[in-house]
């Protein structure tokens, strides 16, 4: 497992990611955006390894620049005029800064979702939402199971056709063969689905009193995490409500100064955003201690 | 509960939420609330349909055929992973809608977009993609399901291409506008739409091409299953 946080109860993961993404959208003060971006990148690198850095520089950073450019070139609000563009409109400092802030928010959201995709796998998602909508949850799980099944079947059909000498030759042979194989798989898939349905029915699908299996239980560590997150969320939300974290960029850039309350909230926010990393480090220390004892 | 009741409830809920969003945006300055609010509205609008699907207790056969069509759509998206603009997914959703009906088309579109994002990565765009693909399925089902023009190869391809270009592109690009724009002026919105135009155009054209080549064959296969097992 890449991260101990992955082993937590799905509800813990959901609360954490929900909080982090909602806060990123609501707290657009540069300090808070910086904290969120740093922590999301750090966690994404921990989960996905070095390829994540490549993704950041080849995809996310250009995206940030692109959003900034779109806003700087098409929006003309603001009071600090820098120069006049070719179409007679003016380039303003405010539009560049607000564009960069928006771009940073886009990058942060995407990076947190990259972490989400690694941590909250299908089974966790289904555990969270499947109880309320059992049929839809069953549908999603069936779809996810059928995809590899069909791809395997396609490979088998292609091999069988090849060995039976049924493959056509000529100009578009590859496309033709692929089409024949796909057509066969589609027919097979549809008939197979009916067979599956009949099998499900004879095994008691839709009868009363059937439950679904779940392998997740709340451990003491999960409860501690939930309590810690609720306290942190309350403190950060209070900081926002009492107006210590304000930032507006249109028409004038106005940021809250470095008051003690702002720094206090920022510290709590940083702790919240780095929570999965702290959790991993704590687990690692405990493991190493246990390992050293034996 | 029948479909019409569900539709009415959904429309009322959505209208109430949009009104609430308009009123709150008067008090809360800044665009931070636009994106979460839009997502909330979409999810709320879809919930009545999901509840009706649950309440109707779909039979095992309907359920598995639906899963089968969605899985084919997802697998087709996975097959062209290297070419992001070639998405046969849309064509397969359209085929499901045309031969199984608008409601099935809607659920098939929503489901295949949702499930395929477990392979391609979820993001804030997932909700918009689900709604967009569901809308394509719904509209194509309403136009073609149970009508004579269903057997016209060219009409299916042309209308399918246009709908997937216009409806899906329009809905999914709302998410980019909400994310990227800062002042929501017309020129800015048009710039963001223009930057997605090439992608949407090629998506529409490939959908039309796939429908032209494989559409009728696929529909025949589904019809055969329907007749053989007497369903839908």
């Amino acid at each position: 497992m890449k991260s101990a946080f992955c082993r937590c109860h799905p509800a813990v993961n959901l609360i954490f990611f929900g909080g982090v993404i909602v806060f990123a959208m609501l707290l657009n003060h540069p300090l808070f955006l910086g904290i969120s971006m740093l922590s999301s990148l750090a966690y994404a690198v921990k989960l996905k390894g070095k390829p994540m850095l490549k993704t950041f520089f080849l995809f996310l950073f250009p995206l940030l620049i692109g959003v900034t450019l779109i806003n700087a070139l098409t929006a003309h609000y603001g009071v600090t005029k820098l120069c006049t563009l070719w179409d007679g409109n003016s380039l303003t400092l405010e539009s560049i800064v607000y564009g960069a802030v928006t771009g940073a928010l886009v990058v942060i959201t995407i990076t947190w979702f990259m972490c989400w995709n690694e941590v909250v796998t299908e089974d966790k998602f289904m555990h969270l939402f499947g109880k309320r909508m059992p049929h839809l949850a069953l549908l999603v799980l069936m779809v996810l199971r059928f995809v590899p099944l069909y791809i395997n079947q396609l490979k088998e059909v292609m091999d069988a056709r090849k060995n039976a000498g049924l493959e056509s030759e000529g100009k578009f042979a590859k496309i033709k063969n692929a089409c024949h194989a796909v057509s066969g798989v589609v027919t097979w898939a549809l008939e197979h689905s009916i067979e599956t349905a009949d099998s499900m029915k004879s095994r008691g699908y839709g009868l009363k009193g059937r439950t679904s299996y779940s392998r997740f239980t709340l451990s003491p560590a999960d409860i501690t995490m939930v309590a810690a997150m609720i306290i942190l969320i309350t403190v950060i939300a209070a900081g926002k409500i009492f107006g210590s974290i304000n930032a507006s960029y249109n028409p004038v850039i106005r940021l809250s100064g470095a008051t003690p309350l702002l720094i206090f909230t920022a510290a709590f926010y940083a702790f919240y955003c780095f929570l999965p990393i702290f959790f991993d480090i704590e687990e690692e220390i405990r493991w190493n201690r246990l390992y050293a004892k034996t | 509960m029948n479909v019409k009741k569900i539709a009415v409830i959904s429309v009322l809920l959505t209208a109430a939420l949009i009104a609430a969003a308009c009123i709150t945006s008067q008090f809360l300055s800044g665009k931070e609330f636009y994106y979460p609010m839009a997502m909330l509205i979409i999810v709320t609008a879809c919930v009545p349909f999901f509840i009706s699907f649950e309440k109707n207790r779909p039979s095992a056969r309907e359920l598995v055929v639906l899963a089968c069509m969605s899985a084919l759509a997802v697998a087709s998206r996975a097959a062209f992973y290297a070419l992001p603009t070639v998405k046969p997914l849309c064509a397969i959703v359209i085929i499901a809608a045309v031969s199984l009906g608008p409601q099935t088309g809607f659920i098939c579109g929503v489901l295949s977009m949702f499930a395929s994002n477990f392979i391609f990565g979820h993001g804030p765009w997932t909700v918009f993609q689900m709604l967009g693909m569901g809308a394509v399925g719904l509209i194509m089902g309403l136009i073609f399901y149970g009508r004579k023009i269903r057997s016209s190869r060219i009409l299916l391809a042309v209308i399918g291409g246009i709908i997937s270009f216009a409806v899906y592109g329009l809905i999914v690009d709302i998410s980019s506008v909400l994310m990227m724009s800062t002042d929501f002026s017309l020129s800015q919105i048009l710039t963001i739409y223009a930057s997605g135009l090439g992608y949407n155009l090629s998506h529409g054209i490939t959908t039309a091409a796939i429908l032209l080549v494989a559409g009728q064959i696929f529909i025949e296969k589904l019809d055969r299953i329907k007749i053989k097992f007497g369903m839908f």
Side-chain angles (χ1 to χ4, degrees):
Chain A
M1 194 71 73
K2 291 151 284 186
S3 159
F5 189 60
C6 297
R7 280 193 298 268
C8 282
H9 191 269
V12 177
N13 301 144
L14 183 77
I15 295 173
F16 172 75
F17 282 109
V20 125
I21 288 164
V22 169
F23 277 140
M25 284 176 176
L26 296 184
L27 308 174
N28 57 356
H29 191 283
L31 177 64
F32 287 76
L33 286 175
I35 292 171
S36 193
M37 187 180 267
L38 209 67
S39 53
S40 64
L41 271 178
Y43 194 43
V45 169
K46 185 163 191 314
L47 286 169
K48 303 179 96 161
K50 270 192 185 159
M52 182 60 214
L53 285 175
K54 210 172 142 193
T55 319
F56 178 73
F57 285 111
L58 288 182
F59 168 63
L60 294 176
F61 194 64
L63 185 67
L64 201 163
I65 304 289
V67 175
T68 313
L69 275 180
I70 285 183
N71 276 292
L73 296 179
T74 57
H76 315 295
Y77 48 76
V79 290
T80 324
K81 195 173 153 184
L82 294 178
C83 65
T84 308
L85 292 172
W86 67 92
D87 57 354
N89 286 313
S90 46
L91 183 69
T92 60
L93 180 68
E94 281 80 6
S95 65
I96 296 177
V97 172
Y98 202 7
V101 164
T102 310
L105 176 58
V106 174
V107 169
I108 289 168
T109 318
I110 292 178
T111 319
W112 278 125
F113 264 105
M114 283 175 168
C115 300
W116 161 278
N117 287 326
E118 295 289 320
V119 172
V120 184
T121 44
E122 303 90 277
D123 52 334
K124 282 189 171 180
F125 199 91
M126 288 308 137
H127 173 76
L128 284 171
F129 297 103
K131 273 184 192 145
R132 304 245 164 262
M133 308 186 159
H135 292 116
L136 286 168
L138 179 65
L139 261 181
V140 175
L141 283 186
M142 267 199 282
V143 171
L144 290 169
R145 192 269 168 277
F146 281 162
V147 172
L149 181 74
Y150 294 168
I151 290 172
N152 275 346
Q153 183 73 11
L154 182 68
K155 274 181 202 148
E156 265 180 36
V157 170
M158 281 179 130
D159 284 347
R161 283 176 54 82
K162 201 176 183 181
N163 292 328
L166 288 171
E167 291 208 314
S168 52
E169 281 168 27
K171 256 189 178 174
F172 299 106
K174 250 191 178 172
I175 299 175
K176 254 187 195 167
N177 289 327
C179 285
H180 278 296
V182 167
S183 163
V185 170
V186 169
T187 311
W188 171 83
L190 286 168
E191 296 232 350
H192 169 86
S193 73
I194 301 283
E195 271 168 32
T196 311
D198 291 347
S199 158
M200 273 165 63
K201 211 178 168 196
S202 49
R203 282 160 208 237
Y205 164 79
L207 293 182
K208 263 190 181 172
R210 292 174 70 88
T211 53
S212 46
Y213 168 74
S214 165
R215 64 188 184 89
F216 301 105
T217 45
L218 268 175
S219 70
D222 291 328
I223 294 166
T224 323
M225 281 292 271
V226 170
M229 282 192 295
I230 289 174
I231 293 169
L232 288 170
I233 288 174
T234 320
V235 171
I236 299 162
K240 169 78 183 166
I241 291 165
F242 288 128
S244 68
I245 325 157
N246 283 328
S248 65
Y249 303 90
N250 178 12
V252 190
I253 300 179
R254 232 188 256 124
L255 301 174
S256 310
T259 56
L261 190 59
L262 179 96
I263 293 171
F264 179 74
T265 321
F268 270 80
Y269 188 57
F271 188 69
Y272 182 74
C273 287
F274 281 100
L275 206 57
I277 296 178
F278 289 148
F279 187 78
D280 289 2
I281 292 173
E282 199 261 352
E283 284 277 295
E284 220 155 275
I285 291 172
R286 191 186 293 174
W287 167 249
N288 283 339
R289 260 199 210 141
L290 284 174
Y291 197 69
K293 266 182 199 167
T294 52
Chain B
M1 282 207 269
N2 57 358
V3 184
K4 269 187 189 159
K5 232 179 184 175
I6 298 295
V8 170
I9 293 172
S10 168
V11 166
L12 284 179
L13 258 177
T14 318
L17 260 175
I18 291 173
C22 291
I23 293 165
T24 46
S25 70
Q26 297 295 315
F27 296 109
L28 301 163
S29 61
K31 58 167 216 106
E32 301 97 65
F33 292 96
Y34 290 0
Y35 207 98
M37 208 63 208
M39 279 169 86
L40 190 68
I41 290 172
I42 292 175
V43 172
T44 323
C46 290
V47 161
F49 284 95
F50 294 153
I51 292 174
S52 89
F53 185 79
E54 290 290 338
K55 284 268 153 76
N56 282 341
R57 300 195 155 272
S59 75
R61 279 186 174 181
E62 280 171 349
L63 209 68
V64 186
V65 170
L66 197 56
C68 171
M69 290 303 290
S70 296
L72 286 172
V74 176
S76 75
R77 189 181 172 193
F80 289 94
Y81 184 61
L83 299 166
T85 60
V86 181
K87 267 195 213 149
L89 190 147
C90 191
I92 296 180
V93 169
I94 288 174
I95 289 163
V98 166
S99 65
L100 303 176
Q103 246 191 318
T104 318
F106 179 79
I107 297 215
C108 183
V110 169
L111 185 68
S112 32
M113 225 53 217
F114 178 70
S116 71
N117 275 0
F118 276 113
I119 303 170
F120 297 92
H122 280 286
W125 50 78
T126 301
V127 182
F128 290 87
Q129 285 179 327
M130 282 161 66
L131 180 76
M133 204 46 91
V136 170
L138 187 73
I139 294 170
M140 288 304 282
L142 285 175
I143 297 175
F144 283 95
Y145 179 60
R147 308 244 169 111
K148 267 192 181 164
I149 46 167
R150 205 175 80 134
S151 48
S152 158
R153 210 168 133 161
I154 304 212
L155 264 181
L156 181 70
V158 170
I159 297 180
I162 291 171
I163 297 279
S164 70
F165 165 70
V167 175
Y168 183 73
L170 188 78
I171 292 177
V172 172
D173 282 357
I174 292 175
S175 105
S176 339
V177 169
L178 283 175
M179 282 258 268
M180 294 178 180
S181 179
T182 53
D183 70 345
F184 297 96
S185 62
L186 193 64
S187 66
Q188 207 168 51
I189 292 173
L190 287 180
T191 313
I192 294 172
Y193 265 102
S195 67
L197 191 69
Y199 176 85
N200 287 332
L201 211 57
S202 82
H203 184 227
I205 291 171
T206 47
T207 305
I210 292 163
L211 282 176
L212 192 66
V213 176
Q216 293 302 333
I217 306 171
F218 209 133
I219 290 176
E220 270 170 32
K221 281 185 199 295
L222 269 171
D223 284 346
R224 179 177 155 273
I225 292 288
K226 266 158 66 183
I227 295 167
K228 184 173 174 185
F229 295 101
M231 45 186 304
F232 283 103

